[in-house]
Amino acid sequence: MTRTPLPASIDETLALMDQAGYVADRSLATVLHLALRMNRPLFLEGEAGVGKTEIAKVLSSTLGRDLIRLQCYEGLDIASAVYEWNYQAQMVEIRVAEAAGDTDHSELSKSIFDERFLIKRPVLQALEPTLGGSPVFLIDELDRADEAFEAFLLEVLADYQVSIPELGTVKASEPPIVIITTNRTREIHDALKRRCLYHWVDYPDAERELEIVRRKVPGAAERLAQEVVAFVQKLRSEEDLFKQPGVAETLDWATALSELNEIALDPDMASDTLGVLLKYQDDIERVRGSKVRHMIDELRKEAPHPQTMPAV
């Protein structure tokens, strides 16, 4: 990949996001610009499906940097996240040395704890420079990891280094671009947040969400795109759902209805495809049927005829 210089202003950051098809508001572009200029991790918090992870992908593609992703989960440990030794290859090395009569234990110890036998996981990979410069390091859904692993990240984010007992300290020559996401299923400790710049990624307003659908689902009819967005916006604001649909679900629903050759929201088809938009049966039962029909009638009364609405 060809490395692109960091954006020199907020407007350039907005343009960079726009270039990759990401419809960002100015507040996000501002904090992203500051994180890039200050070499600080960016801590993104918000509901699932609002586009937090996509920001790291956009930075990788537009800046020409490798993307290294650490997907967090309960029980994530050092061996899975940072490094581990290739024990099988080490055993082969020991047997070969013994067969050759090399029995000097100190030399053998140095030999088997060589970088040749080190399996580098995402954290260690993120500290290594590449031809395109420091990578984009995505620490995704940190709230799913245990607090013990969260505490380990403090050293990484404070000094961009990792201590390996057998080899010493590995320190990044150039800090990676760090993006941390969380869906707020639990609170992240203040000590880690203090090392980052913070931004809450909210659901987009109707205008911005419609522009996202237009860009990501270009095959969708204009009226369908407008009515899908209006329906989802109404769901979020008026219905007490267990899980509100994110932008990702809006895009999936628009894509699914477009694949079914729909050019506008049909109540029956909307009910039949609610499983694309909503992921819990209680939410689907709350909305389907007469409720869907009523919501579609309401949104058509509230808005001008979709075919006459100007494009953004």
Side-chain angles (χ1 to χ4, degrees), residues 42-256:
L42 178 55
F43 189 97
L44 299 173
E45 199 165 41
E47 299 294 337
V50 293
K52 303 184 297 296
T53 299
E54 188 68 19
I55 292 170
K57 296 178 180 178
V58 165
L59 287 177
S60 171
S61 63
T62 55
L63 296 178
R65 310 290 185 100
D66 290 339
L67 175 64
I68 296 175
R69 180 173 182 171
L70 174 61
Q71 179 62 54
C72 297
Y73 54 88
E74 186 177 353
L76 179 66
D77 57 11
I78 303 298
S80 300
V82 189
Y83 76 93
E84 65 178 324
W85 292 104
N86 188 336
Y87 297 115
Q88 291 181 331
Q90 287 175 319
M91 288 301 299
V92 170
E93 181 77 2
I94 291 172
R95 288 169 182 166
V96 169
E98 289 175 344
D102 298 333
T103 56
D104 187 327
H105 293 291
S106 61
E107 289 299 320
L108 187 56
S109 178
K110 291 179 183 178
S111 174
I112 63 172
F113 287 111
D114 183 83
E115 195 168 337
R116 293 176 298 150
F117 303 108
L118 189 66
I119 301 175
K120 299 174 182 179
R121 302 302 187 194
V123 172
L124 202 55
Q125 293 170 13
L127 299 180
E128 293 188 330
T130 62
L131 292 177
S134 60
V136 175
F137 183 30
L138 170 63
I139 304 173
D140 211 12
E141 297 183 318
L142 179 58
D143 51 324
R144 294 181 180 273
D146 301 324
E147 291 187 14
F149 181 76
E150 180 187 328
F152 163 78
L153 283 178
L154 291 176
E155 178 191 9
V156 177
L157 298 181
D159 302 312
Y160 294 106
Q161 66 181 33
V162 167
S163 299
I164 302 176
E166 300 86 354
L167 289 179
T169 300
V170 177
K171 185 176 178 65
S173 57
E174 180 184 356
I177 298 170
V178 181
I179 303 293
I180 302 172
T181 75
T182 168
N183 296 331
R184 209 177 187 183
T185 59
R186 70 170 177 86
E187 287 296 326
I188 303 299
H189 198 277
D190 287 346
L192 190 143
K193 281 187 173 183
R194 283 198 301 270
R195 287 163 169 76
C196 308
L197 302 188
Y198 175 88
H199 186 75
W200 173 266
V201 183
D202 208 348
Y203 294 116
D205 60 22
E207 182 180 9
R208 192 155 65 90
E209 190 162 22
L210 179 56
E211 180 63 16
I212 293 169
V213 172
R214 284 172 175 151
R215 293 191 182 202
K216 298 296 186 181
V217 195
E222 179 63 17
R223 180 174 177 180
L224 176 66
Q226 293 175 6
E227 290 189 349
V228 162
V229 169
F231 187 93
V232 173
Q233 291 276 329
K234 186 177 281 290
L235 266 183
R236 294 187 191 128
S237 63
E238 297 180 6
E239 297 299 318
D240 184 20
L241 300 177
F242 181 76
K243 174 64 179 69
Q244 301 283 0
V247 180
E249 285 74 34
T250 303
L251 295 174
D252 284 345
W253 201 35
T255 301

